[in-house]
Amino acid sequence: MLSVLRNRAYRHLFTAQVIALVGTGLATVALALLAYDIAGPRAGSVLGTALAIKMVAYVAIAQAIGALAHRIPRRALMVGSDLTRAAVALSLPFVDQVWQVYVLIFALQAASAAFTPTFQAVIPDVLPKERDYTQALSLSRLAYDLESLFSPALAAALLTFMTYNWLFLGTVGGFLASAALVVSAVLPKPAPAPARTGGAYAKATAGSRLFFRIPRLRALLCLNLAVAAASALVTVNTVIYVRDHLSRSTGDVAFALGAYGAGSMLVALLLPRILDRLADRTVMLTGALLLPVVFAAVGLITAASGGDWRWPALLGTWAAFGAACSMVLTPTGRLIRRSAPPEERTPAFAAQFSLSHAAWLITYPLAGWVGASAGLLSAAVALGAIGLTAAVTAVRLWPAWDTDDSLRVHTGLAAGHRHLEGAVKVPGGWRHSHVPACDQLHLAGASAVPRQQGQSGQRSDQDAAW
């Protein structure tokens, strides 16, 4: 998997991502302590509001950035986002009012909403080979999981000999280092931006309309909701399960969250080889359908009145949640790359960023409110029902033939066209096989139903991929 780091541009971008993630993790710890200093016992409500502001910024800003990204050089957009985040982090230690925290958090997360989809859209251009890109996706998943374990430990170590305000300086350094690494990376020239008609709203929602138009991306919307249901239960209610329901120590909260991360990392390590043998659809839907099974196990643990077995069982179910979520999340970039032509990738990744966080904006409050008002079992049942409904709907929306690697004949393409690599010349065109793509070479109508294949198993350009 590490062989992909031999690519200098990707190595610099990946390092920038890791450093920025660590900086963000330090800021999360420092922000909690800052909120306590400002609000005292109301710190929980301040952080809850800050989390909601974060999600609103992600949902609202990412789509707008997708519409404007073609007008701004990608390097300038990412570096500008990093510098904005550094400036906000540098300002946080000086605030003394709750509303100031909210304003700065919105600015910080708006910059992240600009950086992340742009970064995700650049990587397929830097690593055009499918296998390399798959390894990059697994590395990215590992980076997120390791950060969730490493950053709190690093913050705890630093806080033994410094005040929390210095953690914000670590965040500033992380974003500045990220900006420097992006500047040093040689990025491929982006595909020409498509000509778009319509007003600002039409341009801002171009990526979302792509999701609602293509069946596999409609299924991805449901998969995002299923993952959000599981991750919300883990993120919001782990401390309640460990401290109140199982009466265990504060340190065991970290063990439970670590089990979730361990499950996710294990799958991320294995997926590059698995995806060489199995289709994305098989892996992602299997992960989604595993989630309701894990929710059922959580329900049994929650309903049990006692027993030492509940603690290892909780660790096992949390690890299973992490593994199932990783099965869905890790191949997502491959799915979007295959579904959007190069010139539409930034809006597509921006839409995924926005819409996936919209799912969390639903499930996070639900996990907290239902758990607090009706109990953990009700929260597990409600989120499990959402996960089951979303997973079953994704299966129905994603056509089984989408994994079909059938032969296709292209007409009207000149010899040497980039799409014809490995194709065989046949009467009337060029023949090769690949998973259905969603671009102008393959779409006769995005919502069209594919016609029955003949005995030859071939489809022509006039056959819609959908």
Side-chain angles (χ1 to χ4, degrees), residues 31-42:
L31 183 63
L33 298 172
L34 174 64
Y36 186 79
D37 271 1
I38 294 175
R42 293 178 49 247

Side-chain angles (χ1 to χ4, degrees), residues 296-458:
V298 172
L300 292 176
I301 296 171
T302 309
S305 58
D308 294 339
W309 61 271
R310 293 182 300 163
W311 171 238
L314 183 75
L315 294 178
T317 54
W318 258 226
F321 267 142
C325 289
S326 189
M327 290 173 69
V328 176
L329 293 174
T330 304
T332 293
R334 286 165 48 110
L335 200 67
I336 296 174
R337 171 176 141 164
R338 186 177 298 148
S339 302
E343 65 274 11
E344 295 284 359
R345 278 180 188 156
T346 299
F349 277 102
Q352 163 63 10
F353 187 83
S354 174
L355 296 171
S356 62
H357 283 89
W360 278 313
L361 190 57
I362 296 170
T363 57
Y364 276 157
L366 184 65
W369 295 338
V370 175
S373 61
L376 289 176
L377 182 59
S378 296
V381 170
L383 292 168
I386 291 174
L388 175 62
T389 302
V392 171
T393 305
V395 173
R396 294 177 61 86
L397 289 176
W398 196 337
W401 51 262
D402 193 1
T403 59
D404 179 19
D405 220 12
S406 59
L407 293 172
R408 299 166 193 278
V409 175
H410 289 280
T411 59
L413 294 183
H417 190 281
R418 62 179 175 83
H419 183 68
L420 297 179
E421 182 179 353
V424 177
K425 179 68 174 175
V426 296
W430 298 83
R431 183 180 66 197
H432 66 166
S433 64
H434 57 75
V435 176
C438 305
D439 55 31
Q440 295 304 315
L441 297 177
H442 305 90
L443 286 176
S447 299
V449 177
R451 297 185 299 187
Q452 293 293 326
Q453 291 180 228
Q455 294 181 348
S456 64
Q458 298 179 4

Side-chain angles (χ1 to χ4, degrees), residues 103-165:
V103 171
L104 289 175
I105 288 300
F106 182 84
L108 179 69
Q109 303 306 337
S112 295
F115 179 92
T116 303
T118 307
F119 173 89
Q120 292 172 336
V122 167
I123 301 304
D125 293 338
V126 173
L127 300 172
K129 293 184 179 179
E130 181 98 334
R131 183 174 179 81
D132 290 343
Y133 182 55
T134 302
Q135 292 176 349
L137 292 175
S138 292
L139 277 177
S140 183
R141 184 77 253 152
L142 284 171
Y144 278 104
D145 291 331
L146 286 172
E147 182 277 325
S148 67
L149 300 175
F150 175 73
S151 291
L154 176 61
L158 292 174
L159 287 171
T160 60
F161 59 87
M162 65 175 62
T163 63
Y164 71 83
N165 282 336

Side-chain angles (χ1 to χ4, degrees), residues 15-155:
T15 306
Q17 179 192 26
V18 171
I19 293 174
L21 282 174
V22 173
T24 303
L26 293 178
T28 300
V29 175
L31 183 63
L33 298 172
L34 174 64
Y36 186 79
D37 271 1
I38 294 175
R42 293 178 49 247
S45 64
V46 171
L47 290 174
T49 303
L51 180 62
I53 290 172
K54 170 184 174 178
M55 293 300 172
V56 170
Y58 281 177
V59 173
I61 301 299
Q63 299 266 24
I65 292 299
L68 297 174
H70 66 282
R71 299 183 180 180
I72 308 171
R74 297 184 294 186
R75 189 197 312 275
L77 184 56
M78 288 190 287
V79 171
S81 298
D82 272 336
L83 294 179
T84 300
R85 294 192 289 185
V88 171
L90 189 61
S91 303
L92 279 169
F94 302 103
V95 305
D96 56 5
Q97 300 292 326
V98 170
W99 70 266
Q100 295 170 345
V101 174
Y102 295 157
V103 171
L104 289 175
I105 288 300
F106 182 84
L108 179 69
Q109 303 306 337
S112 295
F115 179 92
T116 303
T118 307
F119 173 89
Q120 292 172 336
V122 167
I123 301 304
D125 293 338
V126 173
L127 300 172
K129 293 184 179 179
E130 181 98 334
R131 183 174 179 81
D132 290 343
Y133 182 55
T134 302
Q135 292 176 349
L137 292 175
S138 292
L139 277 177
S140 183
R141 184 77 253 152
L142 284 171
Y144 278 104
D145 291 331
L146 286 172
E147 182 277 325
S148 67
L149 300 175
F150 175 73
S151 291
L154 176 61

